[in-house]
Structures are given as C-alpha cells and as structure tokens.
C-alpha cells in the first residue's frame, strides 16, 4: 500500500503550480484531497508555513519555505514526522535544482514538470522503506514538530477567507446575473411559456378594466390592481427562473403568495378552472425555480 500518494509544489504568493507527481492511483478520497489542495494553494500566503488537513484515510501536509510550498497527500497510517520528512527531502531536492529567480519569473503553470521524476524517486523511497532519503533525519523533524506543531487547517475558514480576499462574496441581487445556473430544462421552457401566457392574460384584462374602473367604484380599481400585480409577479417569476438571485427561496414564495392572493381577489371575474390554471402555473414555476441550482465553476488551479 502506498503511504504517499501525491506530491505538489506551488508558489506561495499566488498558488501557481510549479510541479506535481504523476497520479497513478484513482480513488474518490484522493480526488477530494486534490480538490482541497486547490483551495489551500490559493490561500498559502495567509497560512502558517506548516500545516495539515485531516481526512478519513488520507491527510494533507504542507510546508512552505522561501516562497515555495511543498504539499503532499499521505495515508493516515504514515506518521506525521515521516510525512514532513518527505516534504523536507522534497524541498532539498527542489532548491538544489531550481533557484529562487526561476521560481519568481515563472509565468505559466508547471514550468518545472520535469521535477516529477525526482518526486517519483522520493515517493518510491518512502513507500518502500518508510524512512528519510536525503539530508533530513527523523529525529530532527520530530524535535522540530514538538517545538512548532503544524497548524491544523479548517478548510471552511480557508475557503471563506480566500473568497472574501478575492471579492468572491455572497452575490447580491445586482451581481447575481454573473453566476451561471444549470441549463434550462424542457419543463422550465414550458413553465416560461405558460407564465408568459398568464402575464399576457392578466395585463390584457387589467387594461380592459381600466376604463370601467374610472367610472366605477373602488371595487373596480382593486380588480385592476389585482390584474396588474399578477402580471408583474408572473414576469418576475420568469426573471427569477432565468437568473440567479440572492434569497431566491424567499422571493419565490413571496411571488407565489402574491399570485394566489390576486387570483383570490378575482374570484368573481374568473371561474374555478381559470383560477386553478393561474395558480398551477405559478406553483410549477416556483418549484422549478427552487430546483434549478447554480452551476459550479471548475477551480482555476490545475492539480
């Protein structure tokens, strides 16, 4: 069984991938840990120079030095001291091959991909013998870990801190349209068409009653208002389905409630089948709006 499954070298200031080991093993938890590496690598500048993320069977370890961070995904059975021995060996090898200026001037991902052969040799050494390979001794690392224990990283806090630092806060109603929702489904298209039909019927009846409402009592004015409010709510339901919005659930139920109330007011002007049609269309639109989720964008840090 492999104790060290994946190794990753990144630049601290911006999380630029410099090199990574070839991935020969594929399991769900390993892919999850590699996804977590993407989150961590974007936040290294604000983290301690040594840290760990605990998983079920696989843990993440990293150490940073001279603007470069060395990261690994290791099996939980590998002692912490040996995991950091591996990272120290990795650091020795990397700094011996590449100078600080080369790291600073790197402009594209994985400029030192040839370093993978060295990573594979170190991984093989540790996976076969479980011990240090180069300049680092286990006793030195154990003593250093007792003096400076690695920071235990909470990924939820890291993701939140990184998002706020880069302006990726909870979207406001003004910025919601920039988020990409899941593709529109055939039931969604049907809902939009029916909503447009309902909106058209409401505005036509409302405009038709305006002339009579002017000459009639207040009851006619309220009927016109009910038709026009229902028209606005139908149009708003279409917009809410098509575009992302904050507090979508609250807005969806508010619009549904408003349509139900407006049609209750129009009980004398519409028969039971017409009222049922308008309320059913509004209910379908509400359900589909709540079911349509934000489409996750892939992270831009290639691991």
């Amino acid at each position: 069984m492999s104790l060290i499954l994946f190794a990753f070298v990144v630049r601290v200031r911006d999380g630029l991938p410099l090199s990574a080991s070839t991935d020969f093993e594929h399991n769900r938890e390993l892919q999850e840990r590699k996804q977590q590496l993407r989150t961590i690598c974007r936040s290294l500048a604000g983290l301690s120079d040594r840290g760990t993320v605990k998983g079920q069977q696989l843990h993440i370890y990293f150490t940073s030095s001279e603007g470069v961070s060395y990261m690994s995904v290791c099996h939980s059975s590998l002692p912490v001291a040996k995991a950091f021995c591996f990272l120290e060996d990795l650091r020795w090898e990397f700094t011996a091959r590449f100078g600080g200026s080369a790291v600073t001037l790197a402009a594209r991902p994985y400029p030192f991909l040839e370093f993978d052969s060295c990573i594979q040799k170190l991984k093989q050494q540790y996976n076969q013998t479980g011990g240090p390979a180069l300049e680092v001794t286990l006793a030195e690392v154990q003593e250093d870990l007792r003096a400076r224990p690695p920071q235990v990283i909470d990924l939820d806090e890291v993701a939140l801190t990184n998002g706020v630092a880069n302006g990726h806060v909870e979207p406001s109603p003004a910025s919601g349209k920039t988020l990409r929702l899941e593709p529109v489904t055939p039931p969604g298209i049907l809902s939009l068409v029916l909503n447009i039909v309902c909106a058209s019927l409401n505005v036509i009846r409302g405009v038709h009653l305006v002339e009579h409402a002017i000459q009639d009592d207040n009851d006619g004015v309220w009927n016109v208002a009910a038709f026009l409010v229902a028209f606005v709510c139908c149009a708003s339901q279409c917009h809410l389905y098509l575009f992302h919005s904050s507090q979508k659930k609250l807005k969806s139920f508010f619009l549904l409630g408003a349509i139900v109330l407006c049609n209750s007011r129009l009980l004398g002007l519409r028969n039971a089948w017409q009222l049922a049609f308008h309320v059913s269309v509004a209910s379908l639109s509400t359900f589909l709006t709540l079911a349509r989720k934000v489409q996750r964008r892939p992270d831009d840090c290639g691991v």
Side-chain angles (χ1 to χ4, degrees), residues 15 43 74 102 162 229 254 263 279 285-286 294 297:
S43 307
C74 304
N162 180 69
V229 170
F254 173 79
N263 281 277
V279 172
S285 178
T286 299
V294 175
R297 293 183 179 181

PDB file of all heavy atoms in Angstrom, residues 15 43 74 102 162 229 254 263 279 285-286 294 297:
ATOM      1  N   GLY A  15      -0.133  30.850  -5.575  1.00  0.00           N
ATOM      2  CA  GLY A  15      -0.599  29.479  -5.750  1.00  0.00           C
ATOM      3  C   GLY A  15      -0.316  28.876  -7.110  1.00  0.00           C
ATOM      4  O   GLY A  15      -0.949  27.890  -7.486  1.00  0.00           O
ATOM      5  N   SER A  43      -4.497  30.116  -0.800  1.00  0.00           N
ATOM      6  CA  SER A  43      -4.515  30.835   0.480  1.00  0.00           C
ATOM      7  C   SER A  43      -3.213  30.705   1.249  1.00  0.00           C
ATOM      8  O   SER A  43      -3.149  31.074   2.422  1.00  0.00           O
ATOM      9  CB  SER A  43      -5.673  30.304   1.341  1.00  0.00           C
ATOM     10  OG  SER A  43      -6.890  30.350   0.652  1.00  0.00           O
ATOM     11  N   CYS A  74      -1.076  12.003   1.942  1.00  0.00           N
ATOM     12  CA  CYS A  74      -0.490  10.781   2.509  1.00  0.00           C
ATOM     13  C   CYS A  74      -1.563   9.953   3.212  1.00  0.00           C
ATOM     14  O   CYS A  74      -2.571  10.486   3.682  1.00  0.00           O
ATOM     15  CB  CYS A  74       0.602  11.125   3.526  1.00  0.00           C
ATOM     16  SG  CYS A  74       1.925  12.174   2.869  1.00  0.00           S
ATOM     17  N   ALA A 102      14.245  31.626 -10.742  1.00  0.00           N
ATOM     18  CA  ALA A 102      13.444  30.843 -11.687  1.00  0.00           C
ATOM     19  C   ALA A 102      12.009  30.714 -11.198  1.00  0.00           C
ATOM     20  O   ALA A 102      11.058  30.782 -11.984  1.00  0.00           O
ATOM     21  CB  ALA A 102      14.064  29.462 -11.884  1.00  0.00           C
ATOM     22  N   ASN A 162     -10.380  33.097   1.701  1.00  0.00           N
ATOM     23  CA  ASN A 162      -9.902  33.281   0.338  1.00  0.00           C
ATOM     24  C   ASN A 162     -10.953  33.948  -0.529  1.00  0.00           C
ATOM     25  O   ASN A 162     -10.646  34.801  -1.354  1.00  0.00           O
ATOM     26  CB  ASN A 162      -9.524  31.923  -0.253  1.00  0.00           C
ATOM     27  CG  ASN A 162      -9.027  32.021  -1.675  1.00  0.00           C
ATOM     28  OD1 ASN A 162      -7.951  32.549  -1.922  1.00  0.00           O
ATOM     29  ND2 ASN A 162      -9.813  31.524  -2.605  1.00  0.00           N
ATOM     30  N   VAL A 229     -50.881  43.550 -10.656  1.00  0.00           N
ATOM     31  CA  VAL A 229     -49.911  42.946  -9.724  1.00  0.00           C
ATOM     32  C   VAL A 229     -49.623  41.506 -10.140  1.00  0.00           C
ATOM     33  O   VAL A 229     -48.465  41.046 -10.098  1.00  0.00           O
ATOM     34  CB  VAL A 229     -50.437  43.018  -8.280  1.00  0.00           C
ATOM     35  CG1 VAL A 229     -49.554  42.182  -7.350  1.00  0.00           C
ATOM     36  CG2 VAL A 229     -50.477  44.462  -7.797  1.00  0.00           C
ATOM     37  N   PHE A 254     -42.771  34.450  -1.999  1.00  0.00           N
ATOM     38  CA  PHE A 254     -43.486  35.727  -1.955  1.00  0.00           C
ATOM     39  C   PHE A 254     -44.289  35.938  -3.239  1.00  0.00           C
ATOM     40  O   PHE A 254     -45.467  36.328  -3.202  1.00  0.00           O
ATOM     41  CB  PHE A 254     -42.505  36.880  -1.757  1.00  0.00           C
ATOM     42  CG  PHE A 254     -43.139  38.241  -1.860  1.00  0.00           C
ATOM     43  CD1 PHE A 254     -43.852  38.781  -0.800  1.00  0.00           C
ATOM     44  CD2 PHE A 254     -43.048  38.974  -3.036  1.00  0.00           C
ATOM     45  CE1 PHE A 254     -44.459  40.027  -0.908  1.00  0.00           C
ATOM     46  CE2 PHE A 254     -43.634  40.227  -3.155  1.00  0.00           C
ATOM     47  CZ  PHE A 254     -44.348  40.747  -2.080  1.00  0.00           C
ATOM     48  N   ASN A 263     -55.429  36.253  -7.444  1.00  0.00           N
ATOM     49  CA  ASN A 263     -56.468  35.445  -8.064  1.00  0.00           C
ATOM     50  C   ASN A 263     -57.642  35.210  -7.126  1.00  0.00           C
ATOM     51  O   ASN A 263     -58.785  35.043  -7.590  1.00  0.00           O
ATOM     52  CB  ASN A 263     -55.882  34.116  -8.548  1.00  0.00           C
ATOM     53  CG  ASN A 263     -55.133  34.246  -9.857  1.00  0.00           C
ATOM     54  OD1 ASN A 263     -55.718  34.223 -10.922  1.00  0.00           O
ATOM     55  ND2 ASN A 263     -53.814  34.413  -9.764  1.00  0.00           N
ATOM     56  N   VAL A 279     -52.952  29.562 -10.751  1.00  0.00           N
ATOM     57  CA  VAL A 279     -52.249  29.142  -9.528  1.00  0.00           C
ATOM     58  C   VAL A 279     -51.334  27.953  -9.817  1.00  0.00           C
ATOM     59  O   VAL A 279     -50.212  27.869  -9.287  1.00  0.00           O
ATOM     60  CB  VAL A 279     -53.269  28.801  -8.423  1.00  0.00           C
ATOM     61  CG1 VAL A 279     -52.564  28.180  -7.208  1.00  0.00           C
ATOM     62  CG2 VAL A 279     -54.027  30.052  -7.991  1.00  0.00           C
ATOM     63  N   SER A 285     -43.833  27.074 -11.639  1.00  0.00           N
ATOM     64  CA  SER A 285     -42.699  27.980 -11.806  1.00  0.00           C
ATOM     65  C   SER A 285     -41.883  28.076 -10.517  1.00  0.00           C
ATOM     66  O   SER A 285     -40.652  28.078 -10.553  1.00  0.00           O
ATOM     67  CB  SER A 285     -43.196  29.368 -12.222  1.00  0.00           C
ATOM     68  OG  SER A 285     -42.110  30.262 -12.351  1.00  0.00           O
ATOM     69  N   THR A 286     -42.581  28.129  -9.377  1.00  0.00           N
ATOM     70  CA  THR A 286     -41.880  28.198  -8.084  1.00  0.00           C
ATOM     71  C   THR A 286     -41.052  26.944  -7.850  1.00  0.00           C
ATOM     72  O   THR A 286     -39.884  27.019  -7.451  1.00  0.00           O
ATOM     73  CB  THR A 286     -42.900  28.371  -6.950  1.00  0.00           C
ATOM     74  OG1 THR A 286     -43.626  29.584  -7.142  1.00  0.00           O
ATOM     75  CG2 THR A 286     -42.195  28.408  -5.592  1.00  0.00           C
ATOM     76  N   VAL A 294     -27.188  26.592  -8.917  1.00  0.00           N
ATOM     77  CA  VAL A 294     -26.041  27.276  -9.517  1.00  0.00           C
ATOM     78  C   VAL A 294     -25.062  26.240 -10.031  1.00  0.00           C
ATOM     79  O   VAL A 294     -24.754  25.260  -9.350  1.00  0.00           O
ATOM     80  CB  VAL A 294     -25.350  28.192  -8.486  1.00  0.00           C
ATOM     81  CG1 VAL A 294     -24.072  28.801  -9.072  1.00  0.00           C
ATOM     82  CG2 VAL A 294     -26.298  29.295  -8.037  1.00  0.00           C
ATOM     83  N   ARG A 297     -18.418  26.274 -11.024  1.00  0.00           N
ATOM     84  CA  ARG A 297     -17.321  26.511 -11.969  1.00  0.00           C
ATOM     85  C   ARG A 297     -16.088  25.758 -11.512  1.00  0.00           C
ATOM     86  O   ARG A 297     -15.772  25.719 -10.336  1.00  0.00           O
ATOM     87  CB  ARG A 297     -16.984  28.000 -12.041  1.00  0.00           C
ATOM     88  CG  ARG A 297     -18.092  28.835 -12.650  1.00  0.00           C
ATOM     89  CD  ARG A 297     -17.662  30.294 -12.767  1.00  0.00           C
ATOM     90  NE  ARG A 297     -18.694  31.117 -13.364  1.00  0.00           N
ATOM     91  CZ  ARG A 297     -18.559  32.402 -13.592  1.00  0.00           C
ATOM     92  NH1 ARG A 297     -17.452  33.031 -13.262  1.00  0.00           N
ATOM     93  NH2 ARG A 297     -19.536  33.090 -14.132  1.00  0.00           N
TER      94      ARG A 297
END
